[in-house]
Amino acid sequence: MFAISRFSLRSRFSALIATLVFATTLLLGWVASRESAQQMEANIGAATAEAAYQMVDKLDRSMDARIKEVKLLLGIQALTNDTSPGALRRQLERLQENHNVVSWIGYTDPEGTVQAATGGILEGVSIAQRPVFIEGRKSLWIGDVHEAVLLAQLLPNPNGEALKFVDIATPVYDRNRVLQGVLAVHLSWKWAEYIQHSMFSPTKLRQDTEMLLLAADGTVLLGPEALIGQSLASLEHLPSPATTSPQWAIETWPNGEQFVTGYARSNGYEDFPGLGWIAISRKPVSIAFAPVEQLRAAIMGIGILLALLFAMIGWKI
């Protein structure tokens, strides 16, 4: 009777030890899985935010380069001398030939009539009511993305898509600081699309990574065709104008789908003051965090095996 009672107590004690070892090992595996998964999610999110920053930084630097070129163009003596429109036109066209993102360059008189322009387009036409002249005669001005108005039917457009431009305009003075006219440059919005596409490697394309560019008011300027022109100002984590660093979040988009979303707001670069653009990099959660789930499953699987092994050892001991 004593032996049976002693054996029953030892069996219960062994079972308790095995259970404790199993539970402890399983708990440690779960904690390791959770901590590793959280760190991996943070790394994936940070990489998404970095991609958005890289895009907006490239745009800012490209705009700064174009502004510097316009400032250099002001140094052309022909702009402030009594030069024939033909000679001035050739000067402007030489600049355009070196930069395929420049769609049109024009030089107006103080009243807003185009005196010389690349391709002779709009020469003799008044643009006095256009923002590019109204703002450009005051100081260096950068206009946000807009569709072509006067140039829509005059510039080559092989694919038939709506032409969009970013404007740069600046007043031209003589040596006595008397206004001589306005130099206006229309940059094709295609250059932003080139930068957008340059962000994609074959791997990112396979992983369904998408890059978007929003105007300061949240309107989609670049991105999936279905979203162009739509407002995404309702996105919960959209950065405010005061936000200066890239950030990321798991964002629920208007279609109800969740994306790991990185944000970066344009702060300008050197001569380019910035237009408040917001670059977005997004990837579906199921795809972005697939490696996290694989890691979690691997750690928990190993944890369960170790827990069983240690429980058996504990039972034997």
Side-chain angles (χ1 to χ4, degrees):
M1 189 71 161
F2 175 78
I4 293 174
S5 174
R6 182 183 175 193
F7 178 78
S8 177
L9 179 62
R10 189 167 68 181
S11 297
R12 287 197 296 267
F13 186 67
S14 298
L16 178 61
I17 290 176
T19 302
L20 288 175
V21 170
F22 179 83
T24 302
T25 307
L26 198 61
L27 177 62
L28 290 174
W30 176 79
V31 171
S33 169
R34 187 190 64 175
E35 294 299 321
S36 299
Q38 287 179 347
Q39 184 59 50
M40 195 170 184
E41 287 179 357
N43 291 340
I44 291 171
T48 306
E50 178 64 19
Y53 170 77
Q54 290 295 332
M55 179 178 178
V56 80
D57 183 60
K58 284 186 176 183
L59 290 169
D60 286 349
R61 288 173 183 269
S62 181
M63 281 296 298
D64 174 68
R66 302 292 84 76
I67 291 170
K68 284 181 167 61
E69 288 159 5
V70 170
K71 288 184 174 181
L72 285 173
L73 191 58
L74 291 177
I76 296 177
Q77 192 67 24
L79 289 178
T80 55
N81 287 348
D82 294 329
T83 306
S84 68
L88 182 53
R89 185 190 311 120
R90 287 189 291 273
Q91 293 272 20
L92 301 179
E93 288 175 344
R94 272 197 288 272
L95 177 64
Q96 184 184 38
E97 289 169 1
N98 293 327
H99 302 284
N100 58 2
V101 301
V102 176
S103 294
W104 181 83
I105 310 175
Y107 175 68
T108 77
D109 63 15
E111 285 71 44
T113 301
V114 179
Q115 300 298 302
T118 53
I121 297 173
L122 294 183
E123 286 186 358
V125 176
S126 174
I127 60 171
Q129 302 305 315
R130 303 300 306 157
V132 71
F133 175 78
I134 296 172
E135 302 298 331
R137 72 195 309 269
K138 302 174 185 176
S139 61
L140 178 68
W141 176 76
I142 299 97
D144 211 339
V145 185
H146 65 90
E147 291 191 1
V149 179
L150 296 176
L151 296 173
Q153 305 300 322
L154 302 175
L155 290 175
N157 187 17
N159 55 22
E161 296 179 2
L163 295 177
K164 294 183 179 180
F165 300 116
V166 175
D167 297 334
I168 302 176
T170 183
V172 179
Y173 298 101
D174 63 13
R175 293 178 180 177
N176 298 318
R177 299 295 298 170
V178 176
L179 181 68
Q180 298 297 298
V182 171
L183 181 66
V185 179
H186 283 335
L187 302 178
S188 170
W189 189 232
K190 288 293 181 184
W191 65 270
E193 294 181 6
Y194 298 149
I195 291 177
Q196 179 198 36
H197 293 317
S198 73
M199 300 295 297
F200 292 108
S201 65
T203 302
K204 287 185 177 180
L205 287 173
R206 288 194 300 269
Q207 293 176 343
D208 292 334
T209 301
E210 292 180 320
M211 302 294 299
L212 295 85
L213 186 69
L214 277 56
D217 62 359
T219 302
V220 179
L221 302 174
L222 280 177
E225 191 65 32
L227 293 178
I228 297 293
Q230 293 189 18
S231 175
L232 295 179
S234 60
L235 289 179
E236 182 180 355
H237 300 95
L238 205 65
S240 67
T243 303
T244 58
S245 59
Q247 58 187 38
W248 72 276
I250 298 177
E251 187 79 71
T252 301
W253 284 66
N255 62 359
E257 189 175 357
Q258 285 193 320
F259 288 82
V260 178
T261 309
Y263 308 92
R265 182 178 284 272
S266 167
N267 294 308
Y269 181 77
E270 293 187 357
D271 290 346
F272 176 51
L275 293 170
W277 292 333
I278 303 170
I280 292 180
S281 173
R282 71 174 192 173
K283 187 185 297 186
V285 169
S286 59
I287 296 175
F289 287 162
V292 177
E293 296 303 321
Q294 293 170 0
L295 176 66
R296 183 181 285 118
I299 292 177
M300 288 304 296
I302 294 173
I304 291 173
L305 290 176
L306 289 175
L308 290 172
L309 177 62
F310 290 151
M312 291 174 64
I313 295 173
W315 178 274
K316 285 292 184 181
I317 292 175

